[in-house]
Short mmCIF file of all heavy atoms in Angstrom, two decimals:
data_model
loop_
_atom_site.label_atom_id
_atom_site.label_comp_id
_atom_site.label_asym_id
_atom_site.label_seq_id
_atom_site.Cartn_x
_atom_site.Cartn_y
_atom_site.Cartn_z
N LEU A 28 45.85 -66.76 12.23
CA LEU A 28 47.14 -67.38 11.96
C LEU A 28 47.21 -68.76 12.58
O LEU A 28 47.69 -69.72 11.95
CB LEU A 28 48.27 -66.51 12.53
CG LEU A 28 49.68 -67.09 12.44
CD1 LEU A 28 50.11 -67.29 10.99
CD2 LEU A 28 50.68 -66.19 13.17
N ARG A 40 52.91 -84.09 15.95
CA ARG A 40 54.12 -84.59 16.58
C ARG A 40 55.03 -85.32 15.58
O ARG A 40 54.54 -85.90 14.62
CB ARG A 40 53.77 -85.51 17.75
CG ARG A 40 52.98 -84.82 18.86
CD ARG A 40 53.81 -83.70 19.48
NE ARG A 40 53.14 -83.05 20.59
CZ ARG A 40 52.46 -81.91 20.51
NH1 ARG A 40 52.33 -81.32 19.34
NH2 ARG A 40 51.91 -81.38 21.58
N SER A 69 95.54 -89.55 29.62
CA SER A 69 96.12 -88.91 28.44
C SER A 69 95.54 -87.51 28.30
O SER A 69 94.35 -87.29 28.55
CB SER A 69 95.82 -89.72 27.18
OG SER A 69 96.10 -88.96 26.02
N TRP A 70 96.38 -86.58 27.88
CA TRP A 70 95.87 -85.21 27.69
C TRP A 70 94.96 -85.11 26.47
O TRP A 70 94.31 -84.09 26.27
CB TRP A 70 97.04 -84.23 27.57
CG TRP A 70 97.69 -83.98 28.91
CD1 TRP A 70 98.88 -84.45 29.34
CD2 TRP A 70 97.14 -83.20 29.99
NE1 TRP A 70 99.13 -84.04 30.62
CE2 TRP A 70 98.08 -83.26 31.04
CE3 TRP A 70 95.96 -82.47 30.17
CZ2 TRP A 70 97.87 -82.62 32.26
CZ3 TRP A 70 95.76 -81.83 31.38
CH2 TRP A 70 96.69 -81.90 32.41
N LEU A 82 77.93 -82.55 22.83
CA LEU A 82 76.86 -83.56 22.92
C LEU A 82 75.87 -83.20 24.03
O LEU A 82 74.65 -83.34 23.85
CB LEU A 82 77.46 -84.94 23.19
CG LEU A 82 78.23 -85.58 22.03
CD1 LEU A 82 78.84 -86.91 22.46
CD2 LEU A 82 77.31 -85.79 20.82
N PHE A 99 55.69 -85.34 22.73
CA PHE A 99 54.54 -86.22 22.91
C PHE A 99 53.27 -85.41 23.14
O PHE A 99 53.32 -84.26 23.59
CB PHE A 99 54.76 -87.17 24.10
CG PHE A 99 55.97 -88.05 23.98
CD1 PHE A 99 57.10 -87.81 24.73
CD2 PHE A 99 55.96 -89.14 23.12
CE1 PHE A 99 58.22 -88.62 24.62
CE2 PHE A 99 57.07 -89.96 23.00
CZ PHE A 99 58.20 -89.70 23.75
N LEU A 150 74.82 -56.72 33.51
CA LEU A 150 73.64 -55.85 33.51
C LEU A 150 73.01 -55.83 32.12
O LEU A 150 73.71 -55.63 31.13
CB LEU A 150 74.03 -54.42 33.88
CG LEU A 150 74.37 -54.11 35.34
CD1 LEU A 150 74.71 -52.63 35.46
CD2 LEU A 150 73.22 -54.47 36.26
N GLY A 162 84.57 -48.34 40.91
CA GLY A 162 85.71 -49.16 41.27
C GLY A 162 85.95 -50.26 40.25
O GLY A 162 85.64 -50.12 39.06
N ARG A 203 60.37 -83.58 43.40
CA ARG A 203 61.68 -83.27 43.98
C ARG A 203 62.51 -84.52 44.26
O ARG A 203 63.70 -84.56 43.92
CB ARG A 203 61.50 -82.45 45.26
CG ARG A 203 62.84 -81.94 45.85
CD ARG A 203 62.65 -81.40 47.26
NE ARG A 203 61.70 -80.33 47.32
CZ ARG A 203 61.99 -79.04 47.17
NH1 ARG A 203 63.26 -78.68 46.98
NH2 ARG A 203 61.05 -78.12 47.24
N PHE A 209 68.02 -88.42 40.41
CA PHE A 209 68.62 -88.42 39.08
C PHE A 209 69.88 -87.55 39.03
O PHE A 209 70.92 -87.96 38.48
CB PHE A 209 67.62 -87.92 38.04
CG PHE A 209 66.61 -88.96 37.61
CD1 PHE A 209 66.61 -90.23 38.15
CD2 PHE A 209 65.66 -88.66 36.64
CE1 PHE A 209 65.69 -91.18 37.74
CE2 PHE A 209 64.73 -89.61 36.22
CZ PHE A 209 64.75 -90.88 36.78
N VAL A 221 85.47 -89.80 36.50
CA VAL A 221 86.53 -88.91 36.04
C VAL A 221 87.74 -88.96 36.99
O VAL A 221 88.89 -89.10 36.55
CB VAL A 221 86.00 -87.47 35.91
CG1 VAL A 221 87.16 -86.49 35.68
CG2 VAL A 221 85.01 -87.36 34.76
N PHE A 222 87.49 -88.87 38.30
CA PHE A 222 88.61 -88.85 39.25
C PHE A 222 89.20 -90.24 39.48
O PHE A 222 90.33 -90.37 39.97
CB PHE A 222 88.15 -88.23 40.57
CG PHE A 222 88.10 -86.73 40.53
CD1 PHE A 222 86.89 -86.08 40.34
CD2 PHE A 222 89.26 -85.98 40.66
CE1 PHE A 222 86.83 -84.69 40.29
CE2 PHE A 222 89.22 -84.59 40.60
CZ PHE A 222 88.00 -83.94 40.42
N LEU A 225 91.44 -90.61 35.95
CA LEU A 225 92.44 -89.59 35.61
C LEU A 225 93.13 -89.07 36.86
O LEU A 225 92.53 -89.02 37.94
CB LEU A 225 91.76 -88.41 34.89
CG LEU A 225 91.02 -88.70 33.59
CD1 LEU A 225 90.42 -87.41 33.02
CD2 LEU A 225 91.92 -89.37 32.57
N GLN A 237 85.18 -79.32 29.80
CA GLN A 237 83.82 -79.77 29.53
C GLN A 237 82.78 -78.75 30.00
O GLN A 237 81.88 -78.35 29.25
CB GLN A 237 83.58 -81.12 30.19
CG GLN A 237 82.24 -81.75 29.84
CD GLN A 237 81.16 -81.44 30.86
OE1 GLN A 237 81.29 -81.82 32.02
NE2 GLN A 237 80.10 -80.77 30.45
N LEU A 243 79.71 -72.08 27.39
CA LEU A 243 79.90 -71.18 26.25
C LEU A 243 78.95 -71.54 25.12
O LEU A 243 78.36 -70.65 24.47
CB LEU A 243 81.35 -71.28 25.78
CG LEU A 243 81.74 -70.42 24.57
CD1 LEU A 243 81.59 -68.95 24.89
CD2 LEU A 243 83.18 -70.72 24.14
N SER A 275 62.05 -60.68 20.06
CA SER A 275 62.82 -61.86 19.66
C SER A 275 63.58 -61.61 18.38
O SER A 275 63.17 -60.82 17.53
CB SER A 275 61.87 -63.06 19.46
OG SER A 275 61.14 -63.32 20.65
N ASN A 277 65.62 -63.70 15.17
CA ASN A 277 66.00 -64.92 14.48
C ASN A 277 67.44 -64.83 14.00
O ASN A 277 67.97 -63.74 13.78
CB ASN A 277 65.10 -65.17 13.27
CG ASN A 277 63.80 -65.85 13.66
OD1 ASN A 277 63.45 -65.93 14.82
ND2 ASN A 277 63.08 -66.34 12.66
N GLY A 289 69.96 -76.00 17.69
CA GLY A 289 68.82 -76.74 18.21
C GLY A 289 67.47 -76.16 17.80
O GLY A 289 66.47 -76.32 18.51
N GLU A 317 55.41 -63.28 6.54
CA GLU A 317 54.36 -62.62 5.75
C GLU A 317 53.29 -62.03 6.65
O GLU A 317 52.80 -60.92 6.42
CB GLU A 317 53.74 -63.63 4.78
CG GLU A 317 52.66 -63.03 3.89
CD GLU A 317 52.06 -64.06 2.95
OE1 GLU A 317 52.52 -65.22 2.96
OE2 GLU A 317 51.11 -63.70 2.22
N PRO A 352 73.35 -44.46 36.43
CA PRO A 352 72.09 -44.95 35.86
C PRO A 352 70.97 -43.93 35.95
O PRO A 352 70.01 -44.00 35.20
CB PRO A 352 71.78 -46.18 36.72
CG PRO A 352 72.52 -45.96 38.00
CD PRO A 352 73.77 -45.23 37.60
N GLN A 360 66.74 -47.06 26.65
CA GLN A 360 67.08 -48.47 26.54
C GLN A 360 66.06 -49.25 25.73
O GLN A 360 66.28 -50.39 25.37
CB GLN A 360 67.21 -49.10 27.94
CG GLN A 360 68.27 -48.46 28.79
CD GLN A 360 68.29 -49.05 30.18
OE1 GLN A 360 68.10 -50.25 30.33
NE2 GLN A 360 68.52 -48.23 31.18
#
Side-chain angles (χ1 to χ4, degrees):
L28 174 63
R40 298 297 183 263
S69 166
W70 286 106
L82 290 177
F99 301 106
L150 286 181
R203 187 192 302 270
F209 280 2
V221 169
F222 281 100
L225 301 181
Q237 186 265 298
L243 180 63
S275 302
N277 277 13
E317 181 181 357
Q360 300 176 38

